Amino acid sequence: MDIEAPGEAKELPKIHRLDESVVNRIAAGEVIQRPVSAVKELVENSLDASSTSISVVVKDGGLKLIQVSDDGHGIRHEDLPILCERHTTSKLSKYEDLQSIKSMGFRGEALASMTYVGHVTVTTITKGQLHGYRVSYRDGMMEHEPKACAAVKGTQIMVENLFYNMIARRKTLQNSADDYTKIVDLLSRFAIHYIDVSFSCRKHGAARADVHSVATSSRLDAIRSVYGLSVARNLIKIEASDNDPSSSVFEMDGFISNSNYVVKKTTMVLFINDRLVECTALKRALEIVYSATLPKASKPFIYMSIILPPEHVDVNVHPTKREVSLLNQEVIIEKIQSVVESMLRNSNESRTFQEQTVESSPSVPSITNNESHLNPSPSGSKSQKVPVHKMVRTDSSDPAGRLHAYLYKKPQNHLEMNSSLTAVRSSVRQRRNLRETADLTSIQELINDIDSKCHSGLLDIVRQCTYVGMADDVFALLQHNTHLYLANVVNLSKELMYQQVLRRFAHFNAIQLSESAPLQELLMLALKEEELDLECNENDDLKMKIAELSTCVPCDPLWLRLYKPLIFCR
Ligand SMILES: Nc1ncnc2c1ncn2[C@@H]1O[C@H](COP(=O)(O)OP(=O)(O)OP(=O)(O)O)[C@@H](O)[C@H]1O
Ligand SMILES: [Mg+2]
């Protein structure tokens, strides 16, 4: 700490007026905080211009290029000179208009801000014009007179080299890989609210859009197309309203996830008077309801649209318009919270397990979702061949994972035999395995033993079950009709291998080992291990004899596996 010497008074800091360019750049840095803020402003402008189709192209997470094209009403030629000046807008004239404002923009700051932190080019055409105009802007000013150009209906705005003059911010953003993800997420949110507008978002040069929604009349369809089937099928419709001026006036409708939806992160898409906003208090209140109501600590998916009288909403509370403040906010939140709670309680009484489908890619919501986004994507997924060792039995009627493939059922009657499909299958099977089983009486006896002990109920469960997942290292969860079963996978696998060995006895393929296996030693090992399992009393000499005798059989490792159960006749 510096201690001032007496009489040595420091000169007081002088206050001076900041240069306008500095003021503008500081203000711009607040409005456009990262590439996704620029995309939000541009998309909101397109929506304000009554567009029905909005497409976004992004390069390098938005730092190199953001391009938003729409088919809205366009910008008048005579407005182009002041388009990107600060505080120029077509949406507000006097302060009082804010009370009843319907458009998302009102400050006339967004485009100006972009010109202070990036290079902006606007191409636009209005109704009735023969050609459009293109003009570039820097620091709020036109760089040249608007040039006539070919244009399609609407406006295209390009922002290049964002934050070129803000070195620190550019560096921070260059290192963060998630800006494109944020942009996809933003577009996904708009797409499920503005369902009469089609949205697309893709990386520059990419053939496939990561968000691709088409105009639809059903909100649920929009959610399905954007966030994927796994989200859409687990949603409950929700509505609430109040019309008591002494407490609250609002109408709310939306969708919330039910007890079958299990994820670790909350997705809350909230629109208040058609503005995409955040409301931490409402989000917390709903998360509390979920954790208190549902047995699993799952985070919810919530889409909610709240409509209030415009004069009850203050839209001018945040530099990026991310938040709004509501009249009677606590009352509204409490009411919504109690409606959500009662819906959840009802839905939690019945819980269903959907059959898992084998998906080719993990889900990200891409609107084309990524049953993407990170949902990964419903509209873009192609079915892919799954390697046999990765196959999961997800549908008991799907031959890909059938467990009873080994249990060949002989045709019951002549008719069945004559069915063409059965005949083809049977001939293929015969070509593969000349005989189903060996002729040995001992084998036949073991097979008969299995068949005679077969429990028809259990067999049906095994045949028709659907694999849900592993409950732990040993038990798998299986669904059969409306019941859930825990199956010991170790025991099931042993039995499966044993029966497979019996039924394919003498028809295994031979495997040539480069060095012959020490059969006698292996047999001794197996015999001793069996002794532990079964507490048999054979002495070591007898075991040695069995091992010696057995070594006379051809050296096939499968022999060893099938030999063990045969010796002990189970
Ligand atoms: N895509 C577009 N189509 C038609 N007009 C547009 C478009 N984008 C911008 N404009 C016009 O340019 C004006 C300035 O846009 P800008 O986003 O800077 O301000 P704003 O939308 O009025 O307010 P805010 O700063 O709150 O967004 C708008 O008022 C609108 O008239
Ligand atoms: Mg705007």
Side-chain angles (χ1 to χ4, degrees):
M1 191 188 191
D2 288 346
I3 299 174
E4 243 173 52
E8 225 185 277
K10 244 192 191 168
E11 214 183 308
L12 281 176
K14 191 173 149 213
I15 296 175
H16 60 272
R17 196 164 271 119
L18 278 177
D19 202 66
E20 210 183 311
S21 64
V22 181
V23 175
N24 288 337
R25 211 193 286 180
I26 290 176
E30 264 179 43
V31 175
I32 308 297
Q33 296 179 348
R34 42 194 319 153
V36 68
S37 348
V39 176
K40 181 167 183 270
E41 293 292 348
L42 294 172
V43 170
E44 287 183 349
N45 279 346
S46 297
L47 289 167
D48 283 344
S50 313
S51 307
T52 59
S53 165
I54 300 173
S55 71
V56 179
V57 176
V58 175
K59 193 171 178 183
D60 209 5
L63 288 182
K64 272 242 166 69
L65 169 76
I66 294 169
Q67 180 183 294
V68 176
S69 316
D70 65 48
D71 62 351
H73 56 53
I75 301 164
R76 298 182 327 151
H77 173 243
E78 49 272 45
D79 290 339
L80 290 174
I82 59 159
L83 174 71
C84 292
E85 270 178 36
R86 278 189 81 192
H87 314 306
T88 56
T89 178
S90 59
K91 302 170 190 174
L92 188 86
S93 300
K94 48 187 193 307
Y95 185 79
E96 290 67 41
D97 294 347
L98 258 188
Q99 291 242 315
S100 54
I101 193 115
K102 292 243 168 63
S103 57
M104 276 169 274
F106 53 85
R107 309 157 305 178
E109 263 201 288
L111 285 183
S113 301
M114 286 174 223
T115 68
Y116 285 102
V117 294
H119 304 138
V120 175
T121 305
V122 177
T123 309
T124 188
I125 185 167
T126 51
K127 206 171 167 196
Q129 273 186 333
L130 290 178
H131 59 79
Y133 288 98
R134 179 170 301 144
V135 55
S136 300
Y137 297 85
R138 259 211 215 182
D139 297 336
M141 309 300 287
M142 286 202 299
E143 286 191 301
H144 52 81
E145 281 302 306
K147 289 179 190 154
C149 66
V152 286
K153 185 179 182 233
T155 304
Q156 182 188 77
I157 300 189
M158 266 198 313
V159 183
E160 290 166 288
N161 303 321
L162 198 58
F163 304 127
Y164 74 98
N165 51 1
M166 300 171 87
I167 308 297
R169 188 167 315 180
R170 200 176 164 89
K171 274 202 176 136
T172 332
L173 290 167
Q174 255 164 358
N175 297 336
S176 106
D178 62 357
D179 263 89
Y180 183 67
T181 314
K182 283 188 183 356
I183 293 170
V184 168
D185 180 51
L186 175 83
L187 269 291
S188 306
R189 288 163 188 258
F190 276 121
I192 66 168
H193 183 73
Y194 288 96
I195 56 175
D196 46 358
V197 178
S198 59
F199 289 86
S200 84
C201 176
R202 64 184 166 85
K203 281 188 180 166
H204 182 258
R208 188 175 153 253
D210 296 297
V211 176
H212 180 69
S213 73
V214 286
T216 163
S217 55
S218 149
R219 175 103 44 221
L220 204 55
D221 281 351
I223 296 178
R224 188 179 300 114
S225 118
V226 174
Y227 286 93
L229 186 62
S230 58
V231 174
R233 72 178 169 207
N234 288 321
L235 295 181
I236 313 166
K237 185 155 175 49
I238 182 159
E239 280 172 340
S241 63
D242 192 14
N243 197 10
D244 178 359
S246 65
S247 64
S248 64
V249 181
F250 74 95
E251 271 177 27
M252 179 277 282
D253 77 288
F255 285 94
I256 56 168
S257 53
N258 63 20
S259 53
N260 289 317
Y261 180 80
V262 182
V263 297
K264 294 205 177 99
K265 202 167 158 248
T266 301
T267 303
M268 171 124 189
V269 182
L270 175 64
F271 280 81
I272 295 182
N273 284 3
D274 296 325
R275 287 165 196 281
L276 177 61
V277 290
E278 285 167 19
C279 179
T280 317
L282 178 59
K283 187 176 170 191
R284 289 242 174 84
L286 297 180
E287 280 180 336
I288 289 170
V289 173
Y290 268 80
S291 57
T293 316
L294 297 186
K296 280 206 180 163
S298 173
K299 300 283 186 177
F301 175 95
I302 296 163
Y303 159 77
M304 209 170 260
S305 169
I306 304 175
I307 302 290
L308 299 110
E311 62 276 15
H312 289 193
V313 186
D314 187 354
V315 293
N316 188 26
V317 293
H318 195 276
T320 64
K321 300 178 273 182
R322 196 170 59 203
E323 284 167 22
V324 291
S325 115
L326 312 180
L327 189 68
N328 302 321
Q329 182 162 304
E330 288 77 23
V331 186
I332 295 174
I333 291 179
E334 228 171 77
K335 291 203 165 138
I336 292 177
Q337 196 181 22
S338 73
V339 170
V340 168
E341 189 176 349
S342 74
M343 290 300 277
L344 275 185
R345 285 203 188 287
N346 293 339
S347 94
N348 195 27
E349 279 163 18
S350 69
R351 191 149 186 226
T352 55
F353 284 86
Q354 301 286 342
E355 289 185 348
Q356 172 197 2
T357 49
V358 180
E359 273 163 41
S360 56
S361 60
S363 93
V364 180
S366 109
I367 284 200
T368 335
N369 190 1
N370 358 50
E371 184 172 83
S372 153
H373 202 325
L374 321 188
N375 251 338
S377 144
S379 62
S381 60
K382 281 183 205 143
S383 72
Q384 204 175 292
K385 221 173 170 206
V386 184
V388 175
H389 68 283
K390 285 196 177 157
M391 270 185 186
V392 178
R393 186 178 195 235
T394 55
D395 182 349
S396 57
S397 56
D398 175 6
R402 62 192 172 188
L403 293 182
H404 57 284
Y406 302 111
L407 302 174
Y408 172 52
K409 232 182 164 183
K410 287 198 184 99
Q412 301 281 306
N413 56 41
H414 210 61
L415 263 180
E416 207 176 325
M417 191 62 189
N418 281 345
S419 103
S420 56
L421 189 62
T422 315
V424 171
R425 277 188 189 151
S426 151
S427 75
V428 170
R429 209 173 269 126
Q430 271 168 18
R431 237 181 293 142
R432 278 203 206 125
N433 290 324
L434 290 175
R435 283 173 302 168
E436 283 290 316
T437 56
D439 288 338
L440 293 172
T441 334
S442 56
I443 297 285
Q444 273 313 329
E445 275 172 8
L446 291 171
I447 291 174
N448 291 343
D449 186 41
I450 290 171
D451 288 346
S452 67
K453 287 182 186 153
C454 178
H455 185 287
S456 62
L458 267 181
L459 185 65
D460 184 60
I461 290 172
V462 173
R463 275 186 179 158
Q464 308 296 339
C465 72
T466 300
Y467 174 73
V468 177
M470 288 304 289
D472 62 17
D473 286 351
V474 175
F475 287 98
L477 198 56
L478 305 180
Q479 182 188 351
H480 179 254
N481 295 334
T482 54
H483 293 98
L484 283 175
Y485 294 89
L486 278 175
N488 185 319
V489 176
V490 179
N491 290 349
L492 263 182
S493 313
K494 275 188 190 167
E495 190 61 29
L496 179 71
M497 293 313 293
Y498 172 65
Q499 293 192 23
Q500 188 190 3
V501 162
L502 287 187
R503 289 181 193 271
R504 298 184 59 202
F505 194 87
H507 297 294
F508 294 110
N509 294 330
I511 299 171
Q512 200 69 46
L513 298 178
S514 52
E515 254 178 60
S516 58
L519 252 196
Q520 200 164 327
E521 273 172 46
L522 291 172
L523 280 167
M524 278 303 284
L525 269 178
L527 291 167
K528 282 187 175 155
E529 189 195 313
E530 199 70 27
E531 184 180 46
L532 285 178
D533 284 357
L534 302 177
E535 292 175 13
C536 291
N537 298 322
E538 285 90 343
N539 58 33
D540 275 4
D541 283 352
L542 181 56
K543 279 188 220 123
M544 190 67 92
K545 262 205 185 114
I546 296 173
E548 267 171 32
L549 253 173
S550 313
T551 325
C552 309
V553 299
C555 175
D556 181 343
L558 281 171
W559 250 118
L560 195 59
R561 282 163 60 196
L562 67 90
Y563 219 80
K564 203 169 86 176
L566 290 181
I567 290 169
F568 290 96
C569 297
R570 299 181 350 108

